[in-house]
Amino acid sequence: MNTETLVNELTGKNEQKAHEAAKSIVNEANTDAFSMLVDKSVYLYDFIKSNVNRRFESVINRDNYKNLLKFLNYYSPDYEDLIAGFLAKYADEDLSDALLELLEGGSIDQKIYCAKYFSYIPDTAACELLSEYAFSDNESLAYNAAQALGAMDFKLSYNMADEMLKSDDDFIVFKAVKFLVAYGCTDAVPVLLEVMKKSSIAENIAGEIPFLEPIPVMLDKRNEEDVLFCLSKILSGLGEILSLSQIFSFELYDVLAKLIQKNKTDKNSLISVILLKALQKFELFEENEEYTFDEDNATKAEIREIYSLLKNENEDFWNEQKSLSVEELTKDIQRILSAVHLISELKITGASENLHKMLDSDNEIIVTEAVIALSSLGEASGIDKQKVLQKINDDNKKAIIENCLV
């Protein structure tokens, strides 16, 4: 049977043929077929890849598991747990020694698989190499190395990442964030929430934190305001910085359903901003196919469910959220900036008084955003342009204000 036919049968609907194809690929250590599968998997639906994993699992045993070593040259995140898991299941000292050698001198693909193996079989002999790879530019290698170090509770690398969070370089900070998430110690969650609040890449960081601790758990355990701000940033990044398929990982349907009910009694202005932002975002996703064109059916269905959840609330509910959101303009700078953009886009006219108060701020970012918002609401005529411009040093912001107050 030629390679293409073998892979097609492995990924096809006929279970008997698929089982035989899986057995053939493993028993014969058919690297051509596995390589083709890896290339093809980029285009396969998740349920098909799940079927492929299940079929391989049914044929791998103590007699043929070492054939998996031949597949280490062809990395795929879809099959790394399958391969590393079975190698770990039948591991012995000789196998660990061989994989340690590959971890040091193998190809990048081999190193990624080996790092995953050591997350299953913690071996302190690998710690030095894993520490070197944990901040690699190769994200898969970095993640697996950090995960393995977490399994070994190797604090030296953890402490290094903790120090990197203090850097002024966003690239270094984000590497540290991803390390701590992969390392898996939830003690880092409060620190990451604080870093996120002060970062210029808050959306990126916010999108990582729920992989360390789910949003519903954070809402129960952590500072509610920090977690809600994290959720707000996730919504800001969704569909642009963050993939739409991550709505499942973020448990957005359940979280938003809980917040809707909560705000019917507790009246929280930050929750109001989150709900309004969610309504705005999911309406955009539903009405613009360009956002969902490449998504699978499950993601599209979940987007529809979330949009339906939000739209099921009546007009009075949403008007109340708009009124509550105005209170955010009296909070700290990050919350002000998050709310003022939304208020401007939704034309929430009840915000005018607070927007005018923002013009008294000494922070030129806040002043500029207030001018932009008042202009979008058609209420910029009463602004003292010269008084405002005296507060602005940045030429770009001056030009924006001039344009708004022309």
Side-chain angles (χ1 to χ4, degrees), residues 49-265:
K49 289 184 279 193
S50 178
N51 286 341
V52 170
N53 272 286
R54 176 174 52 78
R55 290 156 181 170
F56 275 137
E57 287 170 6
S58 70
V59 301
I60 299 171
N61 53 52
R62 184 176 293 279
D63 295 325
N64 63 17
Y65 81 95
K66 285 190 177 179
N67 289 351
L68 299 178
L69 294 171
K70 299 287 182 68
F71 299 154
L72 299 187
N73 277 316
Y74 312 98
Y75 174 70
S76 169
D78 301 311
Y79 310 112
E80 64 175 355
D81 281 299
L82 172 86
I83 291 174
F86 270 101
L87 290 176
K89 180 178 180 179
Y90 299 114
D92 56 26
E93 189 174 340
D94 289 342
L95 179 62
S96 288
D97 288 345
L99 293 180
L100 184 60
E101 288 184 16
L102 283 179
L103 183 67
E104 180 174 18
S107 67
I108 289 293
D109 284 7
Q110 289 172 328
K111 289 178 180 180
I112 297 170
Y113 278 118
C114 291
K116 176 63 73 171
Y117 170 84
F118 286 111
S119 72
Y120 282 94
I121 303 291
D123 185 340
T124 54
C127 281
E128 185 176 346
L129 287 169
L130 292 169
S131 296
E132 178 186 338
Y133 301 151
F135 303 101
S136 167
D137 289 338
N138 184 299
E139 292 191 4
S140 297
L141 179 58
Y143 183 91
N144 287 356
Q147 188 180 53
L149 290 166
M152 299 178 211
D153 196 24
F154 190 69
K155 290 296 185 185
L156 188 63
S157 294
Y158 182 96
N159 294 337
M160 185 187 305
D162 196 42
E163 282 299 310
M164 288 168 62
L165 291 176
K166 301 171 186 175
S167 173
D168 294 328
D169 187 327
D170 286 337
F171 181 72
I172 292 174
V173 170
F174 196 45
K175 272 195 173 186
V177 169
K178 289 192 284 189
F179 172 90
L180 291 168
V181 169
Y183 189 92
C185 178
T186 56
D187 289 348
V189 170
V191 177
L192 295 182
L193 288 170
E194 282 298 317
V195 169
M196 171 207 65
K197 284 160 53 180
K198 301 168 186 174
S199 176
S200 62
I201 55 168
E203 290 85 359
N204 303 74
I205 295 172
E208 293 290 326
I209 298 173
F211 291 97
L212 179 55
E213 188 168 80
I215 294 173
V217 176
M218 284 195 284
L219 284 169
D220 289 337
K221 289 176 58 177
R222 310 298 176 184
N223 179 285
E224 183 182 60
E225 183 179 309
D226 290 348
V227 180
L228 289 173
F229 187 72
C230 177
L231 178 57
S232 177
K233 286 300 177 183
I234 285 171
L235 288 169
S236 295
L238 201 61
E240 306 291 344
I241 296 168
L242 306 174
S243 166
L244 287 180
S245 62
Q246 290 181 286
I247 54 178
F248 296 105
S249 301
F250 299 144
E251 301 178 55
L252 278 186
Y253 184 95
D254 292 339
V255 170
L256 292 171
K258 181 178 180 178
L259 294 183
I260 286 170
Q261 294 308 312
K262 182 179 177 66
N263 235 33
K264 289 179 178 179
T265 54

Side-chain angles (χ1 to χ4, degrees), residues 159-369:
N159 294 337
M160 185 187 305
D162 196 42
E163 282 299 310
M164 288 168 62
L165 291 176
K166 301 171 186 175
S167 173
D168 294 328
D169 187 327
D170 286 337
F171 181 72
I172 292 174
V173 170
F174 196 45
K175 272 195 173 186
V177 169
K178 289 192 284 189
F179 172 90
L180 291 168
V181 169
Y183 189 92
C185 178
T186 56
D187 289 348
V189 170
V191 177
L192 295 182
L193 288 170
E194 282 298 317
V195 169
M196 171 207 65
K197 284 160 53 180
K198 301 168 186 174
S199 176
S200 62
I201 55 168
E203 290 85 359
N204 303 74
I205 295 172
E208 293 290 326
I209 298 173
F211 291 97
L212 179 55
E213 188 168 80
I215 294 173
V217 176
M218 284 195 284
L219 284 169
D220 289 337
K221 289 176 58 177
R222 310 298 176 184
N223 179 285
E224 183 182 60
E225 183 179 309
D226 290 348
V227 180
L228 289 173
F229 187 72
C230 177
L231 178 57
S232 177
K233 286 300 177 183
I234 285 171
L235 288 169
S236 295
L238 201 61
E240 306 291 344
I241 296 168
L242 306 174
S243 166
L244 287 180
S245 62
Q246 290 181 286
I247 54 178
F248 296 105
S249 301
F250 299 144
E251 301 178 55
L252 278 186
Y253 184 95
D254 292 339
V255 170
L256 292 171
K258 181 178 180 178
L259 294 183
I260 286 170
Q261 294 308 312
K262 182 179 177 66
N263 235 33
K264 289 179 178 179
T265 54
D266 291 352
K267 315 298 184 188
N268 183 307
S269 59
L270 181 50
I271 291 177
S272 294
V273 167
I274 288 168
L275 293 177
L276 288 166
K277 190 178 289 186
L279 178 63
Q280 183 187 44
K281 275 279 184 171
F282 282 90
E283 185 172 53
L284 180 68
F285 300 150
E286 270 292 273
E287 294 180 355
N288 292 271
E289 191 177 313
E290 67 225 56
Y291 284 98
T292 58
F293 183 79
D294 292 328
E295 301 296 339
D296 61 25
N297 290 334
T299 301
K300 291 176 183 178
E302 186 73 358
I303 288 170
R304 285 193 295 272
E305 288 292 322
I306 293 173
Y307 184 51
S308 177
L309 168 74
L310 297 164
K311 287 293 288 182
N312 278 343
E313 297 304 319
N314 60 36
E315 188 176 352
D316 288 341
F317 174 83
W318 290 113
N319 285 336
E320 184 175 31
Q321 303 317 305
K322 290 177 182 179
S323 296
L324 284 169
S325 70
V326 174
E327 295 177 19
E328 285 295 286
L329 299 181
T330 64
K331 307 299 182 181
D332 62 61
I333 183 171
Q334 291 289 354
R335 288 174 64 174
I336 289 172
L337 294 176
S338 181
V340 73
H341 295 155
L342 187 73
I343 286 167
S344 179
E345 290 169 2
L346 297 179
K347 303 290 190 291
I348 300 176
T349 54
S352 297
E353 183 178 349
N354 282 345
L355 288 170
H356 276 285
K357 288 179 181 178
M358 285 167 58
L359 296 175
D360 296 328
S361 172
D362 292 326
N363 186 304
E364 61 182 52
I365 298 174
I366 289 179
V367 172
T368 305
E369 292 297 336

